[in-house]
Amino acid sequence: EFDLVVYGDTEGNVDSNAARTIAKAAGDAPVVLFDAQDDPLDQWAKMNEYVGGGLRMYFKREMLACWDYGGHTVPMPFAYADQRIPASLKASRNTPLFWAGHRMFGLRRLYLDHIEARFGLDLARIFTQEEYTAALADSRVGLNIFGFGFDTVRYLEIPAHGAMLLAERLPIHVPHNFVDGESAVFFDDLPELEEKLAYWLERPDEAAAIAARGHEHLK
């Protein structure tokens, strides 16, 4: 009765016997693996054994660009729902930089503490959902930094709301990605973040042009 079975339990919450029962019950319907975890580990061989073999394709969220996962693997990073993209954008924006989130993982604490001190910013605010949306819509530049994984929803959310995406360069495959200097701006380390943030905060009109191209590219 099904055309496709998507198996997404790479953490093994369903025991192997039950997983094999599911895969066997699929019959002629292809069974594919979806890995939404925060890590870039290649789970293909492990999960094939776990479900008793027969997996046809591997959809991988954190698919490193520098690693060969095999021809059966395709990238599936985060997306952004069409209905969450604003129908119209603010013509003028009063907030220089948007950031919201915890500082627990990656280099977030190092980056954020430094640029707060360097630029006199306070990026520790806690938002309600309505305040979050309003703050993002009023910001000229939005900052994206790795968390526990490389991929983040904010990578898409920032251009969706019309701010210029200033992002730590993702080492994973992102189909139809933004172009550095055209539809987004990327950085690789703290000195480059500081340099580019200083540059673009002083050039709001140029930042707005990149933001507009990023918004159109996302759509």
Side-chain angles (χ1 to χ4, degrees):
E1 297 182 12
F2 297 92
D3 300 313
L4 178 71
V5 176
V6 181
Y7 193 87
D9 180 31
T10 55
E11 293 180 298
N13 292 311
V14 174
D15 66 58
S16 181
N17 288 334
R20 289 171 182 237
T21 300
I22 293 169
K24 184 177 180 181
D28 294 332
V31 181
V32 301
L33 178 64
F34 173 50
D35 179 358
Q37 296 302 309
D38 277 318
D39 65 63
L41 295 177
D42 189 343
Q43 303 272 25
W44 176 255
K46 167 191 164 184
M47 293 308 302
N48 241 319
E49 180 180 357
Y50 197 80
V51 303
L55 292 175
R56 301 278 285 275
M57 289 192 74
Y58 183 19
F59 295 92
K60 175 72 176 168
R61 178 187 139 205
E62 298 270 310
M63 184 178 175
L64 288 175
C66 63
W67 183 259
D68 184 4
Y69 293 83
H72 50 261
T73 307
V74 294
M76 186 171 278
F78 282 137
Y80 199 71
D82 290 347
Q83 63 267 29
R84 290 189 175 273
I85 300 176
S88 61
L89 302 175
K90 289 185 66 174
S92 61
R93 293 167 178 252
N94 300 311
T95 307
L97 182 67
F98 176 84
W99 162 264
H102 61 70
R103 307 183 184 205
M104 295 168 58
F105 302 115
L107 297 174
R108 285 182 175 182
R109 184 169 299 280
L110 173 66
Y111 286 158
L112 294 169
D113 288 357
H114 180 80
I115 64 173
E116 281 177 323
R118 165 68 174 80
F119 295 97
L121 299 169
D122 179 7
L123 302 174
R125 182 180 170 188
I126 302 294
F127 297 96
T128 66
Q129 185 62 58
E130 293 75 18
E131 291 170 341
Y132 182 98
T133 302
L136 185 52
D138 192 50
S139 298
R140 296 194 292 271
V141 177
L143 184 61
N144 183 76
I145 312 172
F146 304 157
F148 193 70
F150 298 118
D151 197 15
T152 65
V153 175
R154 194 174 289 105
Y155 190 74
L156 305 169
E157 182 181 50
I158 289 167
H161 287 79
M164 189 193 86
L165 174 62
L166 178 60
E168 194 170 7
R169 194 184 309 273
L170 299 182
I172 60 174
H173 286 287
V174 179
H176 315 295
N177 201 3
F178 301 102
V179 177
D180 191 14
E182 179 181 313
S183 50
V185 175
F186 299 141
F187 64 90
D188 293 303
D189 54 28
L190 180 55
E192 189 176 16
L193 167 58
E194 182 177 348
E195 175 189 350
K196 291 190 172 180
L197 183 56
Y199 181 92
W200 290 107
L201 289 182
E202 293 176 358
R203 294 164 174 80
D205 292 341
E206 294 178 42
I210 291 180
R213 289 192 291 269
H215 181 75
E216 290 304 314
H217 181 80
L218 178 76
K219 291 197 295 181

